[in-house]
Amino acid sequence: MARRAIKVAEANAAPEAQAAAYWNASVYERAAGRLQAAVDLASRALTILENGNSTRNLAKLRTQLAHTLLNDPSAETQEIRDQLDLAGRELDWSSASPVDRARHSLVMARLQLREGNPTAALDSLQSIPVEVCHQDPGLTAEAHVTKVQALTVMSEPIDVDLEQAADLLTLLGTDLGVAQLWFSLAEAAEVAGRTGAALAAFRQAAVCLGAARMRMPSVDRPAFRLPAAQ
């Protein structure tokens, strides 16, 4: 549907419609795990919006693009930083909502963690208002996962935050994006030595990707005991 919308928008030559079509398609490509396609489409939408008047949408798209790039290990950190710095200024100039600003803070926290600055990442997460957390469960869950990652890097206790992050992720459903969050949480738990929690999170990531538990036939265990030594 998103691809058809692009064709219609391009045929009508309406810049706003084209940007919206590229933007929506980018979201779907990212959700499907096709990061390069998502980045290409978001970049095309960004080029159009830069010539328009919607500073808020421009900031939101830059934040989304940075978020997508953070999922690509080969993406240049400076490119992500440039997009987020521009988005931050554009949010200040526009009528951005609290959720827009919170998402920017979250993506900035993830970037700071990637840059090796977990303390700054925690500060960015702390700037997210509590009331925003009730409006966007996905943002809240990702913020908790990022906090667990930052605390793990700092060798700080994670048990309470680990449990909260797992509880929030359980409410989100089973798509690829949620699977990635479970996987990130599992890796942090593993590094912190929380083997049981890591195993449970890895299992949840697999379920999100379509794995199903197979029922095993019951086994007569006593029949498999080795004979006693004579």
Side-chain angles (χ1 to χ4, degrees):
M1 289 178 64
R3 293 189 184 104
R4 287 200 297 270
I6 288 176
K7 291 181 179 179
V8 172
E10 289 177 340
N12 292 335
E16 296 82 2
Q18 288 182 35
Y22 294 144
W23 190 345
N24 288 334
S26 175
V27 171
Y28 295 132
E29 294 288 8
R30 179 173 176 267
R34 294 185 286 269
L35 296 183
Q36 189 56 55
V39 169
D40 291 343
L41 287 163
S43 298
R44 291 167 72 179
L46 194 62
T47 299
I48 296 173
L49 289 179
E50 284 176 335
N51 295 318
N53 298 316
S54 180
T55 308
R56 178 187 176 187
N57 283 337
L58 190 56
K60 289 173 63 177
L61 183 55
R62 286 194 200 280
T63 302
Q64 178 191 306
L65 177 58
H67 196 197
T68 302
L69 289 170
L70 280 168
N71 290 324
D72 180 2
S74 64
E76 292 290 337
T77 302
Q78 188 58 52
E79 179 184 357
I80 303 172
R81 166 67 67 177
D82 291 343
Q83 292 293 346
L84 283 178
D85 286 347
L86 276 171
R89 290 195 290 272
E90 288 160 353
L91 287 171
D92 290 338
W93 300 334
S94 68
S95 57
S97 71
V99 173
D100 296 336
R101 297 180 187 279
R103 184 157 296 283
H104 181 269
S105 295
L106 168 60
V107 180
M108 180 62 77
R110 287 192 52 189
L111 172 62
Q112 290 162 333
L113 192 56
R114 181 162 169 167
E115 291 174 334
N117 195 344
T119 302
L122 289 177
D123 289 341
S124 292
L125 293 173
Q126 294 258 351
S127 70
I128 299 176
V130 175
E131 57 270 19
V132 171
C133 298
H134 301 299
Q135 301 177 42
D136 193 328
L139 185 154
T140 307
E142 187 171 353
H144 275 75
V145 171
T146 306
K147 182 178 181 181
V148 171
Q149 291 175 310
L151 291 173
T152 300
V153 172
M154 298 169 69
S155 299
E156 295 288 341
I158 67 167
D159 293 322
V160 173
D161 295 285
L162 179 60
E163 183 176 354
Q164 289 178 346
D167 288 344
L168 288 165
L169 286 176
T170 302
L171 302 174
L172 291 187
T174 57
D175 62 25
L176 182 61
V178 178
Q180 181 61 60
L181 290 176
W182 274 117
F183 193 85
S184 298
L185 187 66
E187 286 190 314
E190 186 177 35
V191 170
R194 305 302 191 271
T195 307
L199 179 60
F202 279 128
R203 185 181 295 115
Q204 289 295 332
V207 169
C208 288
L209 295 174
R213 181 181 290 115
M214 297 179 61
R215 295 183 63 85
M216 297 180 63
S218 59
V219 176
D220 182 10
R221 296 185 182 278
F224 288 90
R225 290 177 182 168
L226 294 175
Q230 299 295 325

